[in-house]
């Protein structure tokens, strides 16, 4: 996978989202409580709010504004008011660094 380095694994805080921009695409990078690193679109599909300002619990990221929760694995909303998914990007770890390619989503790999 060709991607851009966005952070060192050690820079990511467990259960907290970090906003990065890869080739103009805002992405929320999350290390969940199991230590798995996820990358999903950073914009809530309900209110165009930055998801990286939200709350992480297990494998979900909750929008702070209206409470929609998104799966970090699939990008699908788990409750209303959001009903459209956010994109999910594959993550590659190389020598302790996190790489993301914003031109590829898990749906079109």
């Amino acid at each position: 996978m060709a991607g851009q380095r966005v952070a060192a694994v050690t820079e990511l805080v467990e259960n907290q989202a970090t906003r990065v921009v890869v080739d103009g695409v805002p992405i929320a990078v999350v290390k969940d409580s199991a230590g798995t690193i996820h990358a999903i679109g950073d914009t809530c599909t309900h209110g165009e709010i930055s998801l990286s300002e939200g709350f992480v619990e297990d494998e979900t990221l909750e929008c702070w504004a209206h409470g929609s929760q998104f799966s970090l694995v699939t990008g699908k909303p788990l409750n209303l008011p959001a009903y459209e998914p956010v994109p999910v990007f594959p993550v590659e770890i190389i020598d302790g660094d996190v790489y993301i390619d914003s031109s590829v989503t898990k749906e079109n790999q």
Side-chain angles (χ1 to χ4, degrees), residues 48-84:
E48 296 193 22
I49 302 291
S50 175
L51 289 175
S52 61
E53 297 176 23
F55 312 100
V56 177
E57 185 173 337
D58 299 322
E59 291 184 338
T60 65
L61 179 54
E62 180 179 329
C63 178
W64 63 269
H66 298 108
S68 288
Q69 295 178 335
F70 294 87
S71 166
L72 293 171
V73 176
T74 66
K76 293 180 181 176
L78 304 175
N79 62 331
L80 296 174
Y83 57 89
E84 291 291 325

Side-chain angles (χ1 to χ4, degrees), residues 88 90 103-109:
V88 177
S103 68
V104 177
T105 61
K106 287 191 175 181
E107 296 82 39
N108 63 21
Q109 265 187 323

Side-chain angles (χ1 to χ4, degrees), residues 1-6 20 22-23 27-29 37-40 89-92 98-104:
M1 172 178 98
Q4 179 178 318
R5 182 194 178 279
V6 296
V20 299
V22 179
D23 295 326
I27 297 173
V29 180
I37 298 174
H38 305 272
I40 69 171
F89 303 94
V91 173
E92 188 170 13
V98 180
Y99 290 82
I100 298 170
D101 183 346
S102 65
S103 68
V104 177

